[in-house]
Amino acid sequence: MYDNIERELKLLINENIYNELLHSYDFHNPITQTNTYFDTENQDVKKQHGAVRIRTIQNKKIFTLKIRKDEYTHYEFEKEISAENINEIEDPEILNWFNQYQIPKNLHPTASFTTLRNVYAFENGELCLDKTYYKNHTDYEIEYEYTSDHDGIHFFNSILEKYGLKWAKNCPSKIARALKFMC
């Protein structure tokens, strides 16, 4: 992420391609992260093309607010928190983000899932290989996240073509997939 901008290209893949990729790059120290997403009863955050989440990695909790800028770019604001409950957050910076983007404070959990993430760093971005466990489903995703401006689409496609794949449009977000698989 650079200057509160998250730019990522992502593609759902099958388990065989996931395993090929996993053994094609020198991934170190996979991270298990549990993501819990929040919204209001009226889906006020979703209506703004946004997401509010608390990500837990071991005992560390990270608050994230994402607001969509375009098809594969988001404004992203993150901060480590100690609160267990989203409605107990009193951090002035986070409350300012809520005010700035008209996020109500009466949020409740809407979805939760766990991702095993492998990351490989390139000069201008990171390749993330995710295996995500939803309530009734497991899926696999490859993601290229920019860390600086460059022709990321061309670079990502150069990685994908080795596996007979091509990126054309981002797959649905994990939160969208989680809501689909809750049924």
Side-chain angles (χ1 to χ4, degrees), residues 42-60:
N42 297 326
Q43 298 184 320
D44 294 318
V45 179
K46 181 179 178 183
K47 288 175 186 172
Q48 292 190 69
H49 302 284
V52 172
R53 133 185 116 206
I54 293 177
R55 173 173 285 163
T56 305
I57 302 171
Q58 294 178 334
N59 293 326
K60 184 176 174 182

Side-chain angles (χ1 to χ4, degrees), residues 109-179:
T110 57
S112 187
F113 51 86
T114 300
T115 298
L116 176 64
R117 171 161 279 192
N118 288 278
V119 178
Y120 182 83
F122 288 99
E123 181 181 352
N124 293 309
E126 294 180 334
L127 187 66
C128 301
L129 198 56
D130 292 346
K131 181 176 185 178
T132 301
Y133 304 90
Y134 303 96
K135 181 179 179 184
N136 300 312
H137 181 76
T138 299
D139 70 23
Y140 306 88
E141 178 183 85
I142 184 172
E143 176 182 305
Y144 181 71
E145 188 167 329
Y146 293 60
T147 53
S148 63
D149 277 328
H150 67 289
D151 186 355
I153 294 172
H154 177 76
F155 184 79
F156 190 43
N157 276 324
S158 72
I159 293 169
L160 295 174
E161 72 183 44
K162 299 170 192 161
Y163 304 93
L165 302 171
K166 182 174 181 166
W167 181 88
K169 181 181 177 192
N170 275 351
C171 61
S173 66
K174 285 183 182 77
I175 179 63
R177 297 189 321 255
L179 294 171

Side-chain angles (χ1 to χ4, degrees), residues 34-142:
T34 299
N35 298 290
T36 303
Y37 283 81
F38 300 86
D39 207 337
T40 65
E41 293 291 333
N42 297 326
Q43 298 184 320
D44 294 318
V45 179
K46 181 179 178 183
K47 288 175 186 172
Q48 292 190 69
H49 302 284
V52 172
R53 133 185 116 206
I54 293 177
R55 173 173 285 163
T56 305
I57 302 171
Q58 294 178 334
N59 293 326
K60 184 176 174 182
K61 295 187 181 330
I62 303 165
F63 169 87
T64 304
L65 168 63
K66 290 186 184 189
I67 300 292
R68 184 176 177 182
K69 181 178 178 199
D70 61 41
E71 182 181 1
Y72 51 88
T73 308
H74 291 86
Y75 296 107
E76 182 176 82
F77 305 93
E78 287 189 332
K79 188 164 192 182
E80 190 170 343
I81 59 171
S82 58
E84 293 286 329
N85 182 321
I86 190 93
N87 296 310
E88 293 173 358
I89 295 175
E90 295 182 3
D91 182 284
E93 188 173 23
I94 293 173
L95 296 177
N96 183 50
W97 297 335
F98 276 16
N99 288 334
Q100 183 179 353
Y101 291 99
Q102 294 86 44
I103 304 296
K105 250 201 121 203
N106 59 332
L107 302 174
H108 65 89
T110 57
S112 187
F113 51 86
T114 300
T115 298
L116 176 64
R117 171 161 279 192
N118 288 278
V119 178
Y120 182 83
F122 288 99
E123 181 181 352
N124 293 309
E126 294 180 334
L127 187 66
C128 301
L129 198 56
D130 292 346
K131 181 176 185 178
T132 301
Y133 304 90
Y134 303 96
K135 181 179 179 184
N136 300 312
H137 181 76
T138 299
D139 70 23
Y140 306 88
E141 178 183 85
I142 184 172

